[in-house]
Amino acid sequence: MQSEATWVAVMVERREQVTIRAVVLGLLLIPALIWWIHHAEFRLGGTMGHTALANTALPVAAFFTLMVLTAFNGIFSCTLPSLALSQGELLTIYALTAATTGIASSGGVHFLVPALTAPIYYASPENNWRELILPHIPWWFIPQDRAAVIAFYTGSNRVPWSAWAVPMLIWSTFLFAVMVTTLFLVMLLWRQWVERERLSFPTAQVPLLVTQPQSPLWRSGGFWLGFAIAAGIGTWNTFSRNFPVLPPLDVRGEVFNLANVITDRPWNAIGSTPVSLYPFIIGIAYLLNTEVTLSCWVFFCLVKIERILTAAFGWDAVGRGGFSVMPYTDHQGAGAFLAIALLSLWYGRKRLWTELKENRTEPDTLPPRLAFVGFLLGFGFLMAFAMAGGMRFVTALSLLSLSLLYMAAATRLRAEIGNAWLFGPQVDPNTIVTTTLGTTALKPRELTVMAFLRNITTFDLRCLPMPHQLDAVKFARVLGLPLRRLHWALVLGSALAAPFAFVSVVKLLYQLGAAAKADAWRIYMGRQPFHQLEGYLRQPLSPDWREIAAIGVGFAFTVGLTALRAHLLSLPLHPFGYAIANTETMNKTWLPFMIAWAVKAFVLRYFGARAYRALIPFFLGLILGDFLHGGLWTLVGCFVPNFYVYPMNW
């Protein structure tokens, strides 16, 4: 009988090395992938279409590059063995590119750089930003030359680098500090997540399987069938966009949405519920425990039922409006996220304290005390940055601590669920500190600095480096890579990626003209925090006890369900399902999770584990086929004028 270890990566006896050539190749690829991300997302944007290259759990740009390198590596293994890369080298390159290039996308510099110019460019007599907002912005945050800012939006062949020198240095250092702080946090917590809790790491298993020497994957008919289906659907849809005579195949829920059918009250309280069939999500979900996939779609349905019942009783009018209304599902999600992060720290506290006291370390791993000191220095820098901008100690500590807890929760969730998009609940750290706890106690200068920090205090966690940094640790432990060397390689990659991403996007937006030819949504996301800021300054908000109570309910439910599972091992509901049920992630992926759960549960129940293992290559084919067409056609779109691309992941 074919063992499951054939398809699922396990610890190997050999020890790989983090070689100089792998690090050099990874460092050379970082700028190339950042330029690709910039070009696809700002030039093609939503008009021409593009696959989001850095926003999914498996970042498309880095993973597509890994697939190409693996293909060439197979050729070199037969023709020029001395040039062939080992599995450890391939995964070193992937870890470097995946953990660093995300900063170049939405949530990173794509939102940050437009935000540095928006207060000046969009200030007008009507909104009164010159008197309301500009006096509270530290001079070193933004370019001070108004002519340089106007040229940023209208377009210019010449970049006024002198106007950008200080903001470029300040914010590149800030982004690097964020990346290094989360990296040291990972190095502090990896033993708890990787070795004690033994998280499943579904998205790390895929690169491990793809790069496995003499992998049986490539000889499997099931794999190529799944690959052909996913790649075929995506390619058909891309050609459908370019040749409208071809009917599109709706796999993203663009046409089929339950909200278009269910229009009567109170049933319409379910809101937008797209019926999607993302192949790569079905493939990843098949690799998960059935308890997790069941919990994800069951809790998603329960959240919808909760909204319907609230509307039926007329309670959905209670609250401030938007998502801050009964039954406060996003606030419940915030409580769940905080509970997941804090429970993980609580359960590992004794082991972590022992490790710090003894400071014992395995060969080629980072000593716990060094990781702890590195984290404290990084967090201290972020605190000093916020306070130098004008925030008080308590405000900065609250905001940044909540942000790191959200990052830790998102990383923990992805390592167990492999959720396609790392969205948190809309009640993010910024929202908790402002609308929930109220803005009346916050100074205008603090609120202004918080508007610039939205790239790390947001619910949009898709481009976080931390989950990919944890994957790098998983690769190291599976292949025996020296973790200390991999850690410093990631630090070096971050030091390259942060300034290059910033400089290159500034140059590109001057060439395009941010208000002329650049993607409008990303430019709007730079302006949006200041619209919120204007509202806070004009109408300060008091704390809302209902929102605070809803966060407490979500926290208590997550803790209670975790405790219940510890005593009832047969309980099929997992608290992680409740946490992501209150996010945009499950709104897009509920049906793929349901399909994967139904297929896997049916196969295991009626045909056994052998049949389940036999189907794994097919579902891996769905993942790789989707990623190949997404990366390939987006690359083609960057070079072929007027070529429309069908996005595979948004």
Side-chain angles (χ1 to χ4, degrees):
M1 184 176 70
Q2 189 181 36
S3 67
E4 188 170 1
T6 304
W7 299 115
V8 180
V10 294
M11 186 70 74
V12 294
E13 294 182 0
R14 72 180 188 279
R15 290 189 62 83
E16 296 270 7
Q17 292 297 320
V18 177
T19 63
I20 294 177
R21 69 171 180 172
V23 173
V24 170
L25 184 54
L27 293 175
L28 290 174
L29 283 169
I30 287 172
L33 295 188
I34 287 175
W35 264 115
W36 185 19
I37 293 169
H38 288 339
H39 191 103
E41 299 186 3
F42 271 115
R43 287 185 180 269
L44 300 180
T47 305
M48 303 299 292
H50 70 281
T51 286
L53 296 174
N55 295 1
T56 34
L58 278 169
V60 175
F63 188 71
F64 179 81
T65 304
L66 177 66
M67 293 170 66
V68 172
L69 288 175
T70 302
F72 277 109
N73 207 53
I75 298 173
F76 289 150
S77 297
C78 300
T79 58
L80 297 169
S82 61
L83 295 180
L85 300 168
S86 68
Q87 186 181 18
E89 289 177 312
L90 287 170
L91 289 177
T92 297
I93 295 168
Y94 173 73
L96 268 171
T97 54
T100 57
T101 56
I103 201 69
S105 186
S106 54
V109 296
H110 285 192
F111 291 175
L112 175 61
V113 170
L116 301 183
T117 59
I120 291 179
Y121 185 75
Y122 291 103
S124 68
E126 290 75 22
N127 59 33
N128 199 34
W129 283 11
R130 286 188 181 89
E131 293 75 25
L132 189 69
I133 294 177
L134 290 179
H136 304 299
I137 300 177
W139 69 268
W140 41 277
F141 265 33
I142 63 175
Q144 297 294 318
D145 187 340
R146 180 169 176 78
V149 170
I150 292 174
F152 176 84
Y153 284 89
T154 58
S156 173
N157 292 326
R158 175 181 169 276
V159 181
W161 292 115
S162 59
W164 282 92
V166 173
M168 182 173 62
L169 176 63
I170 293 296
W171 288 104
S172 295
T173 305
F174 175 82
L175 293 173
F176 172 69
V178 171
M179 298 168 76
V180 170
T181 300
T182 58
L183 178 59
F184 275 110
L185 183 58
V186 165
M187 292 301 171
L188 195 61
L189 299 176
W190 70 264
R191 291 177 179 84
Q192 177 67 24
W193 289 343
V194 176
E195 296 191 343
R196 296 181 197 124
E197 297 185 40
R198 295 184 178 275
L199 304 181
S200 57
F201 288 91
T203 50
Q205 297 296 343
V206 178
L208 282 163
L209 287 166
V210 169
T211 57
Q212 184 179 351
Q214 291 82 46
S215 172
L217 195 65
W218 315 117
R219 300 188 296 273
S220 169
F223 167 80
W224 291 111
L225 175 61
F227 185 94
I229 290 173
I233 290 173
T235 299
W236 175 276
N237 282 334
T238 289
F239 278 86
S240 173
R241 285 198 159 195
N242 292 277
F243 306 101
V245 68
L246 300 175
L249 303 174
D250 182 28
V251 296
R252 299 192 301 160
E254 295 173 290
V255 177
F256 298 104
N257 193 313
L258 296 183
N260 299 331
V261 180
I262 304 173
T263 57
D264 295 329
R265 186 175 172 85
W267 309 104
N268 61 357
I270 64 170
S272 177
T273 309
V275 181
S276 64
L277 294 166
Y278 294 98
F280 81 98
I281 299 175
I282 296 174
I284 291 175
Y286 185 79
L287 302 177
L288 302 178
N289 186 299
T290 52
E291 289 184 358
V292 172
T293 49
L294 173 67
S295 300
C296 287
W297 70 262
V298 164
F299 277 116
F300 174 78
C301 293
L302 291 176
V303 166
K304 295 294 186 181
I305 293 172
E306 187 179 9
R307 291 176 178 171
I308 292 170
L309 291 175
T310 302
F313 286 104
W315 296 340
D316 56 339
V318 176
R320 287 176 169 166
F323 55 80
S324 295
V325 296
M326 291 284 288
Y328 296 106
T329 51
D330 283 286
H331 293 82
Q332 294 180 46
F337 258 61
L338 294 175
I340 286 170
L342 292 173
L343 283 173
S344 184
L345 295 174
W346 177 258
Y347 287 140
R349 69 192 189 284
K350 292 183 179 178
R351 290 287 186 90
L352 181 59
W353 177 246
T354 301
E355 290 168 3
L356 290 173
K357 284 196 303 182
E358 298 178 352
N359 202 37
R360 295 178 183 175
T361 183
E362 303 169 33
D364 294 322
T365 61
L366 206 66
R369 287 182 191 170
L370 178 58
F372 184 63
V373 170
F375 169 73
L376 289 181
L377 290 175
F379 186 74
F381 176 86
L382 299 180
M383 285 285 297
F385 182 93
M387 293 173 66
M391 296 182 71
R392 289 169 293 182
F393 177 83
V394 173
T395 309
L397 181 63
S398 301
L399 183 68
L400 294 174
S401 297
L402 285 171
S403 299
L404 283 175
L405 287 174
Y406 265 62
M407 294 179 192
T411 302
R412 178 75 169 74
L413 285 166
R414 178 183 172 277
E416 189 71 12
I417 298 178
N419 40 329
W421 296 278
L422 278 177
F423 282 113
Q426 290 193 67
V427 179
D428 52 30
N430 184 280
T431 305
I432 293 175
V433 175
T434 54
T435 61
T436 300
L437 299 179
T439 60
T440 53
L442 298 175
K443 296 180 178 180
R445 182 95 168 194
E446 291 180 306
L447 291 168
T448 303
V449 173
M450 290 171 64
F452 286 98
L453 298 181
R454 288 296 281 146
N455 62 313
I456 66 165
T457 63
T458 176
F459 68 91
D460 188 349
L461 306 168
R462 292 174 296 170
C463 296
L464 280 180
M466 190 173 175
H468 308 300
Q469 293 165 348
L470 184 62
D471 276 357
V473 174
K474 178 66 175 179
F475 299 149
R477 300 308 290 173
V478 169
L479 299 179
L481 289 169
L483 193 53
R484 186 197 297 258
R485 296 181 187 177
L486 186 58
H487 166 87
W488 294 115
L490 291 174
V491 171
L492 188 61
S494 301
L496 170 64
F500 185 83
F502 194 101
V503 171
S504 55
V505 81
V506 169
K507 182 177 178 60
L508 178 63
L509 288 176
Y510 269 95
Q511 291 175 345
L512 294 175
K517 298 179 181 179
D519 178 54
W521 176 74
R522 284 172 171 76
I523 303 304
Y524 167 77
M525 291 304 292
R527 185 170 82 246
Q528 190 255 357
F530 299 99
H531 288 300
Q532 289 183 336
L533 174 62
E534 179 185 353
Y536 296 151
L537 294 177
R538 294 190 189 280
Q539 294 181 329
L541 299 174
S542 300
D544 192 319
W545 65 266
R546 295 165 300 192
E547 297 177 15
I548 298 172
I551 293 174
V553 168
F555 187 96
F557 185 86
T558 304
V559 172
L561 187 57
T562 302
L564 193 60
R565 278 179 55 84
H567 292 87
L568 295 175
L569 299 180
S570 60
L571 183 68
L573 296 180
H574 200 289
F576 286 6
Y578 173 67
I580 71 166
N582 298 286
T583 69
E584 184 63 20
T585 298
M586 278 310 297
N587 207 44
K588 292 177 177 288
T589 63
W590 64 274
L591 186 57
F593 269 68
M594 184 185 291
I595 292 171
W597 166 81
V599 171
K600 184 171 181 177
F602 178 81
V603 169
L604 287 173
R605 181 176 179 85
Y606 294 104
F607 299 97
R610 184 173 183 177
Y612 156 70
R613 292 192 291 269
L615 286 176
I616 288 179
F618 171 79
F619 288 93
L620 289 172
L622 293 180
I623 299 171
L624 268 67
D626 233 359
F627 275 74
L628 178 73
H629 90 74
L632 175 63
W633 294 122
T634 299
L635 187 61
V636 170
C638 290
F639 292 98
V640 178
N642 301 317
F643 185 83
Y644 291 82
V645 179
Y646 182 81
M648 50 77 68
N649 59 359
W650 58 270

